[in-house]
Amino acid sequence: MTARLSLEERFRSSGGKRFYVRNLFGRIARIYDLMNRLMSFGLDGYWRAFAARYLALGSGETGLDLGAGTADLSLAVIKRSGPGTHMIGMDITPEMLQQGQRKLKRLGLQDRIELRVGDAEHIDLPDNSVDGCCSAFTVRNLSDIRQGFREMLRVVRPGGRVVCLEISHPPGKIFGTLFYLYFYKLAPLFGTIIGKAFEEYNYLPNSLTTFPDAPTLKAMMEEVGWSNVRFYRLTGGIVAVHVGTKLA
Ligand SMILES: C[S@@+](CC[C@H](N)C(=O)[O-])C[C@H]1O[C@@H](n2cnc3c(N)ncnc32)[C@H](O)[C@@H]1O
């Protein structure tokens, strides 16, 4: 409760959660990829690969990656998609996108993935303009999760799909206790020591405290209009991948 209140206070003094989150990711953009690999013991790549399979684009299709950050999910989708497919990666933090842009340049994939600054809660795209929408570790950071899913539904064409990869609450008691011990105690310690970013890596566990569990997130997606919503728990439920479709 104390941690929750103090996080709320930090949001308020930064001008709102959106600004707090943007500044936070701006500060850690350079170490973000390395810390992800270390803190997830390399599992983050497998989680994104699993999620990307559900968005895989057909020829001529365009996908949207919200909170694209350093572009790893967009890259995972493009790797599993046919020729003539495109991704738009959107993020509120320019520093994260700059890191992503360097990666795309290195891989020669700037023509397939376009990175641009934009807000997942107010997507700057017309209705029904993309074939599918995905996100990895983004919705936990939104001020209003339902608003995010509503916007995704608006921009995806009828028959299109949504894929959401997020940290979750493991259902098993023993595994859950071990995970929370790691996530709330050890991970912030790694972030503080290796990443030299105390505030930033303490936000990480706190951002999960109020985040819904997998069945509740599924219900939220259905509430705003997504259909055929289902979820897959990975690695004992540390993360969950929710998928759904927009009725044709
Ligand atoms: C934990 S990072 C995930 C980055 C990337 N998707 C990945 O798989 O590593 C969360 C990202 O969401 C972005 N973000 C947070 N709120 C956002 C919003 N309202 N709209 C767009 N991006 C947002 C942050 O700037 C950050 O880059």
Side-chain angles (χ1 to χ4, degrees), residues 21 25 32 48 67-69 91-93 96 118-120 136-137 141-142:
V21 165
F25 282 103
Y32 177 81
R48 284 193 200 85
D91 201 290
I92 50 169
T93 310
M96 291 287 276
D119 187 349
F137 312 115
N141 297 294
L142 300 182

Side-chain angles (χ1 to χ4, degrees), residues 98-115:
Q98 277 155 21
Q99 296 296 321
Q101 198 59 51
R102 276 193 204 124
K103 208 181 288 177
L104 298 188
K105 206 169 164 198
R106 231 175 23 244
L107 297 167
L109 283 170
Q110 308 102 299
D111 296 349
R112 304 279 304 281
I113 303 173
E114 179 206 336
L115 298 180

Side-chain angles (χ1 to χ4, degrees), residues 10 20 25 36 72 85 98 110 145 166 182 187 193 197 200 203 217 234-235 240 244 246:
R10 276 180 270 164
Y20 176 85
F25 282 103
N36 258 357
D72 279 353
T85 52
Q98 277 155 21
Q110 308 102 299
I145 298 170
E166 237 331 331
Y182 172 73
I193 296 169
E200 292 76 359
Y203 164 73
L217 193 66
L234 305 182
T235 321
K246 177 168 170 175

Side-chain angles (χ1 to χ4, degrees), residues 18 46 50 56 74 90 150 155 164 178 190-191 194 197 204:
R18 187 178 180 281
Y46 156 68
F50 183 97
S74 294
M90 217 174 250
R150 231 177 264 124
V155 298
C164 168
L178 288 174
F190 282 174
I194 306 170
L204 178 73

Side-chain angles (χ1 to χ4, degrees), residues 153-229:
L153 188 72
R154 179 183 68 76
V155 298
V156 168
R157 66 158 166 84
R161 51 220 181 266
V162 67
V163 183
C164 168
L165 163 63
E166 237 331 331
I167 300 176
S168 195
H169 301 272
K173 228 176 174 168
I174 297 172
F175 188 70
T177 307
L178 288 174
F179 168 68
Y180 288 126
L181 182 71
Y182 172 73
F183 197 65
Y184 281 87
K185 303 283 182 213
L186 290 177
L189 200 65
F190 282 174
T192 305
I193 296 169
I194 306 170
K196 299 197 176 9
F198 172 79
E199 160 100 14
E200 292 76 359
Y201 286 97
N202 270 276
Y203 164 73
L204 178 73
N206 285 326
S207 64
L208 181 66
T209 309
T210 53
F211 189 67
D213 63 11
T216 311
L217 193 66
K218 173 181 183 281
M220 274 183 168
M221 290 171 71
E222 287 167 342
E223 224 177 277
V224 304
W226 284 103
S227 303
N228 308 316
V229 181

Side-chain angles (χ1 to χ4, degrees), residues 23-92:
N23 291 335
L24 183 144
F25 282 103
R27 292 195 299 271
I28 61 168
R30 292 164 73 97
I31 56 163
Y32 177 81
D33 281 354
L34 173 69
M35 292 306 291
N36 258 357
R37 302 292 113 79
L38 290 175
M39 291 167 80
S40 73
F41 302 103
L43 284 168
D44 63 316
Y46 156 68
W47 295 333
R48 284 193 200 85
F50 183 97
R53 282 214 308 266
Y54 288 92
L55 197 80
L57 305 167
S59 182
E61 286 195 330
T62 299
L64 173 65
D65 176 9
L66 291 170
T70 60
D72 279 353
L73 182 62
S74 294
L75 281 165
V77 172
I78 282 296
K79 210 169 145 189
R80 281 155 191 84
S81 302
T85 52
H86 292 95
M87 286 295 293
I88 300 169
M90 217 174 250
D91 201 290
I92 50 169

